[in-house]
Amino acid sequence: MTQSHTYAQEHHEIFTERFIELVKIKSISTDPAFKDDVKLAADWILGRMSSIGLDAEAITLPEGRHPVVLGTWNGAGSDAKTVIVYCHYDVQPAVIADGWHTDPFDPVIQDGKLIARGATDSKVHVMAWLSAVESLIASEELKVNIKLLFEGEEESGSETIGALIQQFPEKVSADIAVISDGIIRSPEQPALIYGLRGIITMEVHVDGPQKDLHSGHFGGTVHNPAQAIAEIVAQLHDADGRVTVPTFYDDVAILDDDERALLAESDESITQEWQDVANAPKQWGEPDYTIHERIGARPTLEINGIHGGYTGDGFKTVLPAHAFAKISCRLVPNQDPQRVMQAVQDYILQIAPDTVKISFVRVESEAPAIRLDYTGQAMQAAFHAYQKGWGVDPVFERAGGSVPITHEMLTITENLAIMGFSYKGGGAHGPNENIPLQMFYNGIDTAIYFLQDIATNEG
């Protein structure tokens, strides 16, 4: 324990009151009706940054977007390391009718949990880092230079922060980077994510006759597009769940024994989570890999939606003119998104019957996978910080999802750690979103320990 930790503990009540102030603000970036509320949240954060001694500014690129708030402190001197921390302060929409027990923007504390929209995704991270930096500066113990980079449109495209990093790299230059977003294994068990899968998405459109037809008049003479799309997608996997697209696995990085042993430390909890949440009749997928490995270290091809013909009430004996499927692929390190996209499309064209026409529509998602060096300085500092902040060793995990901001942050520095202080039970994006206040306090301590470790470690 240092003076900054003592300061933080003595200010738990004040920090909680400020946390409540922030989650009351309806910073919904996806709905233009709340543009002024997003700016209000940005102004609130600007005020907090300035009050604790940071040089703070709001940046909007291009005009009309939501602001990024950047707070800078160079009091450690030119010879000290600079750490940049990313969080986001915007939130998803929420109304009581979604299933909330209370007004989502009128926070309540029940059973030690703060319940409000944005509590876990992701204002807990904003408040933990603001509180940690305040504690360090007030105690004169901050020995690194700091940049707090708080985004206001993570839920709506991240256009401003992408432009900021590309156009003004000097504003965000740093030696160490932290993405403080996302979740840990449980309130009692922290986890360090060192791998994220990439993603590509597409729509496959199948066209047959020039218009919908009477199935009695034309059935048996026209290849039904709904049937054709089913025939196509049925050929994209074999019986063991492997993707049948030629070259799909050619560039996939192979797990070595050391990494498989590292991932195995989380096998039991991830398998239990699968049973609790998925609860499917039986596991499915590549039999040579564990659930954790299939989720984080193996690529997938998923049918996210399929449509063709009449789906309303009653029955309509129609032969549809059109059908389509939405397809996504989660990618792993070494896989090039564009090459995989082309391979999937080429294979679909190869297996498609010549009785229908095939076309592809690309949608916005395309990102390569990320694998961070879990032996690097940032990750090891995060490991030690969680050890002290939570009182247990964190486990290392490769997550199945994608966090696009990671690619932008890696252009600043490859010495990066992902540090989340929320948990899966927090209900992010859903009703009754919550965060145990003890996790908030642990997050403050963990952030302090991290910055202290970076200051004293010569790595």
Side-chain angles (χ1 to χ4, degrees):
M1 290 284 292
T2 61
Q3 291 183 18
S4 53
H5 291 286
T6 301
Y7 180 97
Q9 289 186 357
E10 292 174 347
H11 287 73
H12 275 180
E13 185 174 343
I14 293 174
F15 291 160
T16 302
E17 290 173 357
R18 293 173 184 163
F19 192 180
I20 291 171
E21 288 179 21
L22 183 58
V23 293
K24 282 183 176 181
I25 303 174
K26 300 178 181 180
S27 51
I28 302 169
S29 66
T30 57
D31 186 341
F34 293 92
K35 183 177 180 179
D36 290 343
D37 295 275
V38 179
K39 184 179 183 302
L40 180 63
D43 290 342
W44 188 95
I45 293 169
L46 278 169
R48 288 305 318 145
M49 286 180 172
S50 298
S51 71
I52 64 177
L54 306 185
D55 294 325
E57 59 180 321
I59 303 164
T60 303
L61 298 168
E63 288 300 321
R65 299 296 298 184
H66 299 301
V68 169
V69 183
L70 176 63
T72 304
W73 186 84
N74 292 315
S78 58
D79 293 333
K81 296 185 182 74
T82 297
V83 177
I84 187 167
V85 179
Y86 165 89
C87 308
H88 72 89
Y89 64 88
D90 62 320
V91 301
Q92 286 280 326
V95 294
I96 290 181
D98 295 335
W100 287 77
H101 298 153
T102 57
D103 186 327
F105 293 99
D106 187 9
V108 296
I109 296 176
Q110 293 179 356
D111 301 323
K113 297 177 180 179
L114 176 63
I115 302 171
R117 171 57 89 226
T120 198
D121 185 20
S122 187
K123 290 177 179 178
V124 64
H125 300 103
V126 170
M127 291 308 306
W129 285 96
L130 281 173
S131 303
V133 170
E134 175 181 337
S135 300
L136 284 160
I137 292 176
S139 304
E140 299 184 350
E141 291 183 346
L142 186 55
K143 305 302 180 184
V144 297
N145 299 313
I146 194 80
K147 295 180 179 180
L148 298 181
L149 185 68
F150 295 165
E151 179 184 11
E153 51 187 23
E154 191 271 348
E155 306 287 3
S156 58
S158 295
E159 190 172 342
T160 293
I161 199 164
L164 169 62
I165 292 172
Q166 292 174 16
Q167 296 178 31
F168 301 98
E170 71 283 356
K171 284 185 175 291
V172 295
S173 61
D175 303 296
I176 306 287
V178 174
I179 295 175
S180 198
D181 190 12
I183 56 178
I184 63 174
R185 173 64 24 210
S186 72
E188 298 79 28
Q189 178 58 66
L192 271 170
I193 303 298
Y194 72 94
L196 296 164
R197 289 194 293 192
I199 190 170
I200 58 172
T201 62
M202 71 187 83
E203 291 183 8
V204 183
H205 289 250
V206 178
D207 290 289
Q210 61 181 346
K211 61 181 180 179
D212 288 359
L213 301 174
H214 190 299
S215 65
H217 295 166
F218 292 94
T221 69
V222 174
H223 198 163
N224 187 325
Q227 178 179 334
I229 194 68
E231 293 167 352
I232 291 168
V233 299
Q235 296 180 66
L236 297 178
H237 298 86
D238 66 17
D240 288 329
R242 284 180 58 85
V243 178
T244 55
V245 175
T247 75
F248 186 80
Y249 294 100
D250 282 4
D251 300 323
V252 173
I254 303 300
L255 287 169
D256 60 29
D257 291 341
D258 288 343
E259 189 168 6
R260 295 192 84 166
L262 184 73
L263 295 175
E265 295 177 9
S266 300
D267 279 352
E268 183 177 351
S269 60
I270 288 178
T271 299
Q272 184 61 53
E273 179 183 78
W274 186 93
Q275 292 170 345
D276 293 341
V277 179
N279 195 27
K282 187 177 180 180
Q283 292 180 21
W284 181 85
E286 297 180 277
D288 295 334
Y289 297 90
T290 67
I291 288 181
H292 190 179
E293 291 168 349
R294 291 179 217 172
I295 289 172
R298 297 296 292 169
T300 67
L301 187 156
E302 301 291 351
I303 312 304
N304 303 118
I306 188 166
H307 177 85
Y310 180 71
T311 58
D313 294 336
F315 206 87
K316 183 179 181 182
T317 54
V318 66
L319 195 159
H322 179 78
F324 69 91
K326 293 179 179 288
I327 294 176
S328 66
C329 295
R330 295 288 180 173
L331 309 180
V332 294
N334 294 357
Q335 286 188 296
D336 176 74
Q338 293 184 0
R339 193 198 69 77
V340 176
M341 177 84 76
Q342 192 63 55
V344 173
Q345 293 182 358
D346 288 347
Y347 184 60
I348 289 174
L349 290 172
Q350 175 188 327
I351 63 177
D354 60 7
T355 48
V356 294
K357 297 177 182 178
I358 303 296
S359 60
F360 300 96
V361 177
R362 292 183 63 176
V363 286
E364 68 232 25
S365 297
E366 180 182 314
I370 292 294
R371 184 184 181 281
L372 303 177
D373 179 7
Y374 57 83
T375 67
Q377 184 186 10
M379 290 292 284
Q380 287 300 304
F383 183 89
H384 297 142
Y386 278 114
Q387 273 184 322
K388 297 172 183 176
W390 252 262
V392 296
D393 286 356
V395 292
F396 285 97
E397 294 183 2
R398 288 178 66 162
S402 307
V403 182
I405 190 61
T406 311
H407 304 279
E408 303 286 355
M409 297 298 288
L410 284 169
T411 66
I412 299 173
T413 175
E414 293 186 355
N415 203 349
L416 182 149
I418 299 173
M419 299 178 66
F421 303 143
S422 59
Y423 74 123
K424 289 188 177 181
H429 291 202
N432 306 307
E433 181 178 348
N434 68 88
I435 189 73
L437 287 174
Q438 189 57 54
M439 291 188 72
F440 172 46
Y441 305 144
N442 288 352
I444 297 170
D445 284 335
T446 300
I448 292 172
Y449 283 124
F450 177 84
L451 295 174
Q452 290 174 331
D453 188 287
I454 292 299
T456 57
N457 192 317
E458 295 298 323

